[in-house]
Amino acid sequence: MTGTTVFPHGAALQWRCLPFHALSAETLYRLLRLRSEVFVVEQACVFLDMDGLDAQCLHVLGEVVDQDGTPHLHASTRLVPPGVAFAEASIGRVVTAPAARGGGIGHALMAESVRLLEQLWGPQPIRIGAQAHLERFYNRHGFVSDDKPYIEDGIPHLEMIRR
């Protein structure tokens, strides 16, 4: 599954949604590097990102492809089938490259992830485990908190659901 989002400044972000087994070694490396750059280094959080769920998920990749055809990963999520992380389907490992932030890429990523999840598995509730400071961001995409904060890897989180 593919698509493109063109931002006001003219950059075209190409979307791909791939099962784990279809990720090339280069794409997987870029994905894990981006997640480590943000979740481990930027957030100063030592945790095991590779939690054993990636192989069961589909991976949404937002890439800018330069003139010579080289893709640069700017954003990603993983779409988690119902019954894997939660009873409901889920969107996890939501990440945008630090250099790509500020132009709406995070909102485009969430909109595309919700669209793809519903295209794959039909309209249904989606549950996420969100960092608490991003509650308003996820509210803009229809997610509401269960008001039961918890700590995960030293960071305050909330479970949120979109019905």
Side-chain angles (χ1 to χ4, degrees):
M1 288 180 248
T2 61
T4 302
T5 300
V6 179
F7 290 93
H9 51 65
L13 196 66
Q14 295 181 4
W15 299 108
R16 293 191 295 156
C17 182
L18 300 170
F20 183 78
H21 65 82
L23 297 172
S24 70
E26 293 84 8
T27 300
L28 179 59
Y29 179 85
R30 285 192 300 271
L31 173 59
L32 295 176
R33 180 182 169 92
L34 176 59
R35 287 177 13 184
S36 291
E37 177 184 1
V38 173
F39 299 142
V40 177
V41 177
E42 180 182 306
Q43 296 178 0
C45 182
V46 178
F47 83 112
L48 185 59
D49 174 44
M50 291 167 276
D51 59 0
L53 298 183
D54 284 313
Q56 300 173 64
C57 300
L58 286 115
H59 300 270
V60 178
L61 309 169
E63 301 167 312
V64 173
V65 180
D66 62 19
Q67 302 273 28
D68 68 359
T70 303
H72 299 277
L73 184 62
H74 284 239
S76 180
T77 62
R78 68 180 183 188
L79 305 181
V80 187
V84 173
F86 301 106
E88 302 87 358
S90 183
I91 299 170
R93 295 298 195 263
V94 178
V95 62
T96 58
R101 295 180 191 150
I105 192 171
H107 291 293
L109 173 64
M110 281 307 295
E112 185 69 7
S113 296
V114 168
R115 185 189 74 75
L116 287 166
L117 187 147
E118 291 181 343
Q119 181 180 332
L120 287 162
W121 303 314
Q124 62 186 285
I126 303 169
R127 184 172 299 274
I128 62 173
Q131 292 185 6
H133 75 277
L134 294 172
E135 182 176 8
R136 289 180 52 210
F137 170 83
Y138 290 112
N139 288 156
R140 289 183 54 186
H141 296 277
F143 290 89
V144 294
S145 169
D146 67 359
D147 292 323
K148 297 177 189 165
Y150 62 97
I151 302 295
E152 182 175 320
D153 300 315
I155 299 172
H157 280 71
L158 297 166
E159 276 193 24
M160 301 182 78
I161 191 150
R162 180 180 192 274
R163 298 195 187 277

